[in-house]
Amino acid sequence: MSDLPFLLWRLPARTGFKFYLPAASMLCSSILSCSIRAIGPSITVNEVEALFDLFKKLSSAIIDDGLIHKEEFQLALFRNSGKQNLFANRVFDMFDIKRNGVIDFGEFVRSLSVFHPNAPEEKKVEYAFKLFDLRQTGYIEYIELKEMVLAILTESDITVPDDVVESIVEKTMQEVDSKGDGKIDTEEWKDFAAKNPSLLKIMTLPSLRLQQHEDLAVLAAHTYFNISEIEALYDLFKKLSSSMVDDDLISKEEFQLGLFGSSKKRSLFADRVFHLFDSKNDGVIEFGEFVRGLSVFHPAAPQAQKAAFAFRLYDIWQRGFIERQEVREMIEALLRESNLVLSRDIIEVIIDKAFKEADLKGDGRIDPEEWEEFVARNPSLLKNMTIPYLKDLNTQFPSFELISDIEDDISEI
């Protein structure tokens, strides 16, 4: 499979291309009506109002004239108005619909609408094609693909030899150019995007969906928090969701920052917890997901729910059962987070002991029924599934007690 989808997936995380949405300000209704009619149903009136606040900030970053200049656009993308980049230039040119060297508010909204989660996939595919069609000939040639790959690598701070770049481009052309004419047309591009859905990750910015939080009473009815506790959780949520990008959403980097005090520290444990909180699987955690995710750690939550959550935590490959390799990976991750070092032999002894006790069917894996029985016989396994102070909330992020006391957990396994 081509490496191009992977490179595109990395790009938004490396650049500042995560347009955040400040609190909405009211606009003249005629402007809003025109904008909504022009872009269709993807973006709502409230979202256009919020985008206007963002537009005002960007358009006044260097020259306060109600227009976004290329330098201001680059400043928003890369925090550097003087940094030249082919990717930024291409996106700016496509936003600049009137081809007058600046982006007005209407162009800004119309162009951003294609990045909205509700925008049709065919529009995203078409936009991505235009992005690579540097010479606007209606097809993508080898040299255009190479230039964009080099730009993406540069923005991702990745340095690779020329022969590797050539290999990426050649492999992509072989996969996409089904007609073998040395160029990629729109039909071939659509087929490529269909086979590589990750290619379009760059074409969706979840933060463009203006957050309208669930009613507190509804959240209270479906979780183990009361309304006062949910209000306290919102203060915590606001701190986390604005720690890096103020968009009312918790990104994985912000989640890791809350857990470990570092947004760059990678952890299987953090990835698994984030994935379980992100119930919509859109790469961010909104307030409702945050409250529902934390609810299982509430002292009042039933043991059965805690056991089910713990099972899903260890079911890394999401197959409905836990295998030895999954347990090994999770134990090693928890040891690293606790700054503990155990030899591989000891880890294997721990896993052997756990499977001997839990794998009652002897099929080399633990299913939900076996897990429930295992937990019932070893209730201490779930002690880290309860965060006591969720009963008496303050605004400290649980630096997740799940990681603490791992020595006791290991000794009891």
Side-chain angles (χ1 to χ4, degrees):
M1 182 176 290
S2 168
D3 295 311
L4 185 61
F6 170 74
L7 293 175
L8 285 174
W9 178 79
R10 283 179 58 92
L11 188 59
R14 298 296 305 177
T15 69
F17 204 59
K18 290 183 178 180
F19 288 118
Y20 60 90
L21 299 179
S25 64
M26 292 304 294
L27 279 180
C28 169
S29 59
S30 61
I31 295 177
L32 287 175
S33 298
C34 289
S35 298
I36 293 297
R37 283 198 300 271
I39 64 176
S42 294
I43 295 183
T44 67
V45 172
N46 288 338
E47 287 165 344
V48 174
E49 290 174 352
L51 281 177
F52 186 67
D53 274 356
L54 173 58
F55 178 82
K56 284 193 297 184
K57 287 190 174 185
L58 297 181
S59 63
S60 62
I62 298 177
I63 304 172
D64 190 2
D65 59 358
L67 298 167
I68 298 177
H69 297 255
K70 183 170 286 189
E71 295 78 9
E72 291 170 322
F73 193 75
Q74 289 174 331
L75 184 63
L77 280 174
F78 307 120
R79 305 294 185 263
N80 184 343
S81 62
K83 184 174 183 179
Q84 292 298 312
N85 176 265
L86 175 63
F87 173 78
N89 288 338
R90 284 298 299 145
V91 177
F92 182 88
D93 289 344
M94 293 178 69
F95 273 49
D96 179 18
I97 299 168
K98 298 175 182 176
R99 300 287 185 268
N100 59 356
V102 290
I103 300 171
D104 61 32
F105 182 58
E107 292 172 316
F108 184 67
V109 175
R110 291 185 185 92
S111 299
L112 272 183
S113 70
V114 76
F115 293 93
H116 194 283
N118 294 342
E121 190 168 290
E122 57 268 23
K123 282 192 175 182
K124 297 178 184 291
V125 173
E126 180 184 350
Y127 194 97
F129 180 86
K130 290 180 180 178
L131 197 63
F132 280 81
D133 181 14
L134 301 178
R135 292 161 183 76
Q136 303 175 50
T137 57
Y139 47 81
I140 302 168
E141 295 186 272
Y142 186 97
I143 189 61
E144 293 174 309
L145 187 60
K146 182 178 178 179
E147 288 179 15
M148 282 297 284
V149 167
L150 287 170
I152 291 168
L153 288 170
T154 299
E155 279 317 313
S156 299
D157 293 330
I158 298 174
T159 302
V160 298
D162 290 342
D163 60 336
V164 175
V165 174
E166 294 290 347
S167 175
I168 292 172
V169 178
E170 287 175 6
K171 191 175 180 181
T172 302
M173 288 297 294
Q174 288 173 5
E175 184 177 348
V176 188
D177 181 20
S178 57
K179 298 174 183 175
D181 56 3
K183 57 189 180 183
I184 302 169
D185 60 31
T186 54
E187 182 183 342
E188 291 169 324
W189 182 259
K190 288 177 183 177
D191 290 340
F192 180 53
K195 289 183 285 190
N196 297 274
S198 60
L199 181 73
L200 296 183
K201 280 183 177 287
I202 193 177
M203 295 303 302
T204 298
L205 301 175
S207 58
L208 287 178
R209 184 191 289 119
L210 188 64
Q211 296 305 304
Q212 296 180 343
H213 301 309
E214 292 182 63
D215 184 86
L216 299 190
V218 173
L219 284 173
H222 289 88
T223 66
Y224 297 96
F225 298 109
N226 59 40
I227 289 180
S228 296
E229 290 170 335
I230 292 173
E231 289 174 345
L233 279 177
Y234 186 64
D235 287 339
L236 171 58
F237 177 82
K238 283 194 297 184
K239 287 185 177 182
L240 293 175
S241 64
S242 62
S243 59
M244 295 179 68
V245 180
D246 190 4
D247 59 359
D248 219 19
L249 296 164
I250 299 175
S251 66
K252 183 174 285 189
E253 293 81 7
E254 289 169 325
F255 193 76
Q256 290 174 331
L257 184 63
L259 277 173
F260 308 121
S262 170
S263 62
K264 297 180 179 179
K265 185 174 182 179
R266 304 300 301 176
S267 162
L268 173 64
F269 171 77
D271 285 346
R272 291 299 301 141
V273 177
F274 182 89
H275 174 75
L276 293 177
F277 273 50
D278 177 20
S279 58
K280 295 181 180 178
N281 294 317
D282 58 1
V284 290
I285 299 171
E286 59 187 49
F287 183 58
E289 292 174 314
F290 183 68
V291 175
R292 293 170 191 273
L294 277 180
S295 178
V296 74
F297 295 94
H298 195 284
Q303 290 294 96
Q305 284 191 14
K306 296 178 185 293
F309 189 97
F311 180 87
R312 293 172 63 203
L313 197 65
Y314 279 86
D315 182 16
I316 298 171
W317 301 325
Q318 302 174 55
R319 296 177 179 174
F321 47 81
I322 302 170
E323 297 186 84
R324 288 181 64 92
Q325 181 60 27
E326 292 174 308
V327 175
R328 183 180 295 108
E329 290 182 17
M330 189 61 77
I331 287 177
E332 290 175 348
L334 290 171
L335 286 170
R336 283 193 296 272
E337 292 312 322
S338 302
N339 295 317
L340 294 175
V341 178
L342 291 179
S343 70
R344 184 168 293 277
D345 289 342
I346 293 177
I347 292 175
E348 290 303 319
V349 169
I350 293 170
I351 297 172
D352 287 341
K353 185 179 178 183
F355 268 78
K356 184 177 180 180
E357 186 176 350
D359 181 19
L360 302 177
K361 298 172 184 174
D363 56 2
R365 59 192 190 186
I366 303 169
D367 61 31
E369 182 182 348
E370 291 171 322
W371 177 260
E372 288 177 14
E373 294 181 22
F374 183 48
V375 167
R377 294 193 302 270
N378 298 273
S380 61
L381 288 172
L382 295 184
K383 67 181 179 181
N384 290 328
M385 290 300 302
T386 297
I387 302 175
Y389 62 74
L390 285 180
K391 213 166 34 174
D392 183 22
L393 275 170
N394 53 38
T395 55
Q396 294 295 311
F397 186 63
S399 47
F400 271 90
E401 306 292 333
L402 316 197
I403 298 175
S404 67
D405 300 328
I406 186 172
E407 297 96 332
D408 295 338
D409 291 342
I410 289 174
S411 66
E412 293 179 27
I413 290 176

